[in-house]
Amino acid sequence: MKNRSAQVQELIKQELSQIILREVEIPEGAVVTLTRTVASGNLQEAKVFISVVPDARAPEVMKILEQNVYRIQQILNERLKMRPVPRIRWIAETAGAEAQHIEELLGQLKKEE
């Protein structure tokens, strides 16, 4: 079952990446990356982790994704030949922002030396 779950997660990630790229109008200057998907054990729900650069655009992008989730879900349902297709839940990825902040702090420390 774990192997199937991992396959489903990767498939959802690939398909959603294509759907967002082609079907969703992302604001100019924002770069959206699907970092990972985590499907529930019963495959009823999939948490889709989204990274947005620059971080300041993240709330705007997440709002756009939420507004389009029904349409995106319909397209995903058509593309995937499985039942049930997990319900999408967007999650803002914070690991990138945290890493960027650490890099900035390290840069400041180097300047001070």
Side-chain angles (χ1 to χ4, degrees):
M1 185 70 176
K2 279 189 177 185
N3 191 28
R4 180 168 189 257
S5 182
Q7 289 174 330
V8 168
Q9 290 172 166
E10 187 58 33
L11 181 62
I12 290 170
K13 182 180 168 190
Q14 290 173 0
E15 290 296 334
L16 285 177
S17 293
Q18 293 300 313
I19 293 168
I20 290 171
L21 183 66
R22 294 189 175 108
E23 304 289 336
V24 180
E25 287 191 38
I26 299 299
E28 196 169 315
V31 177
V32 177
T33 306
L34 274 70
T35 57
R36 59 196 163 109
T37 58
V38 178
S40 63
N42 61 5
L43 300 177
Q44 292 293 315
E45 180 180 80
K47 294 177 184 175
V48 181
F49 290 82
I50 305 290
S51 173
V52 181
V53 177
D55 287 335
R57 303 300 292 271
E60 179 183 4
V61 169
M62 295 303 286
K63 183 178 178 184
I64 290 168
L65 290 173
E66 275 302 324
Q67 290 170 342
N68 288 283
V69 72
Y70 181 74
R71 186 169 57 92
I72 293 168
Q73 183 76 58
Q74 284 183 315
I75 296 167
L76 184 66
N77 292 353
E78 290 171 12
R79 289 188 181 187
L80 297 183
K81 306 293 184 220
M82 61 176 277
R83 294 293 173 256
V85 173
R87 194 183 51 205
I88 303 166
R89 200 167 126 224
W90 307 116
I91 308 284
E93 182 72 79
T94 56
E98 291 167 5
Q100 182 179 351
H101 180 66
I102 290 169
E103 288 293 324
E104 289 170 2
L105 291 174
L106 290 173
Q108 288 174 353
L109 286 173
K110 284 184 180 181
K111 287 179 186 175
E112 291 174 5
E113 288 177 355

